[in-house]
Amino acid sequence: MDYQVLKKNFENHRFHTSYFETKEEAVLYLKEKIQGTTVGFGGSVTSDEMGIYDALKENNTVYWHWKEKGRETLKAAQSAEAYILSANGVSETGEIVNIDGTGNRLSASLFGPKRVFYVVGKNKIAPDLPSAMKRAKDVASAKNALRLKKNTPCAANGGDKCYNCNSPERICNATVILERPCNGMEVEILFINEELGY
């Protein structure tokens, strides 16, 4: 991962960036940055692997539907002061790609929270936007469908790639390409020099 390239291109697109060698360093940084407020989480294997929820719930009110099921949790997460999520694909040219089944993660990344933090492992980074989009479909979405045991061709075939199916259990219903932070939002990307999530 060439952080200097990522920093230059993302900061040219008005994103804030930071770099960490380990997930533990990134978690400590988030604990310092986010205190005494409300925090929402999007579905994220990366966040789960990092233990961010447990770290932040010590000094914040935290909402994550992976920990407390229900639509009310989803709504509370959307209106939290800060929001934590990862990305399905990140381009070196400065764009973030995310795909969602329900839409809660995408909508909260675009409107609602004042501060949004993306936690991104080096495995999520692709050279350009087309390859980031391909990664989001063929790697992240397919592996997530397999993890969730969805009745989809990608899951049935071991999470090998996207088949652009029409299954009712399809989890890639909406795609967002974030080119710049939305108005009124402060967005920071934490680049972590480890493989995290899908």
Side-chain angles (χ1 to χ4, degrees):
M1 170 171 42
D2 189 337
Y3 174 59
Q4 292 309 315
V5 169
L6 293 164
K7 178 180 172 68
K8 176 177 179 285
N9 290 334
F10 275 93
E11 291 187 358
N12 280 346
H13 287 183
R14 303 195 316 271
F15 294 100
H16 300 287
T17 68
S18 51
Y19 174 84
F20 305 91
E21 277 295 325
T22 68
K23 63 186 177 188
E24 290 81 10
E25 292 171 2
V27 171
L28 286 174
Y29 175 80
L30 287 170
K31 281 185 74 171
E32 291 174 7
K33 291 273 286 191
I34 305 172
Q35 294 188 33
T37 189
T38 54
V39 183
F41 278 80
S44 170
V45 171
T46 297
S47 296
D48 203 32
E49 290 175 351
M50 291 175 68
I52 303 172
Y53 174 86
D54 289 330
L56 293 185
K57 75 176 183 178
E58 293 174 15
N59 295 309
N60 301 281
T61 302
V62 182
Y63 305 101
W64 195 5
H65 64 286
W66 281 19
K67 305 295 183 181
E68 186 177 340
K69 305 287 184 198
R71 191 161 182 83
E72 289 309 310
T73 303
L74 291 172
K75 288 182 178 179
Q78 280 187 302
S79 59
E81 175 75 20
Y83 196 78
I84 311 281
L85 72 161
S86 189
N88 298 136
V90 172
S91 70
E92 289 182 0
T93 50
E95 297 91 11
I96 300 169
V97 179
N98 264 326
I99 298 174
D100 225 347
T102 303
N104 59 297
R105 186 173 57 121
L106 298 185
S107 61
S109 73
L110 300 174
F111 182 82
K114 291 182 180 176
R115 295 184 293 163
V116 175
F117 297 89
Y118 287 85
V119 286
V120 177
K122 65 182 181 180
N123 52 309
K124 305 286 186 81
I125 298 165
D128 51 34
L129 181 56
S131 55
M133 291 180 68
K134 180 173 174 53
R135 187 206 182 280
K137 281 268 193 184
D138 285 343
V139 178
S141 293
K143 288 186 183 300
N144 274 307
L146 178 63
R147 174 180 61 84
L148 295 167
K149 299 179 173 60
K150 294 295 184 181
N151 183 20
T152 59
C154 60
N157 288 289
D160 61 340
K161 66 175 184 176
C162 175
Y163 290 83
N164 195 26
C165 72
N166 199 31
S167 168
E169 294 191 23
R170 175 182 168 128
I171 64 166
C172 44
N173 294 324
T175 303
V176 162
I177 301 167
L178 192 63
E179 299 177 12
R180 307 290 190 281
C182 289
N183 295 338
M185 271 190 173
E186 180 181 311
V187 179
E188 181 169 357
I189 306 158
L190 282 65
F191 291 106
I192 304 158
N193 196 27
E194 293 185 21
E195 294 204 1
L196 295 164
Y198 303 138

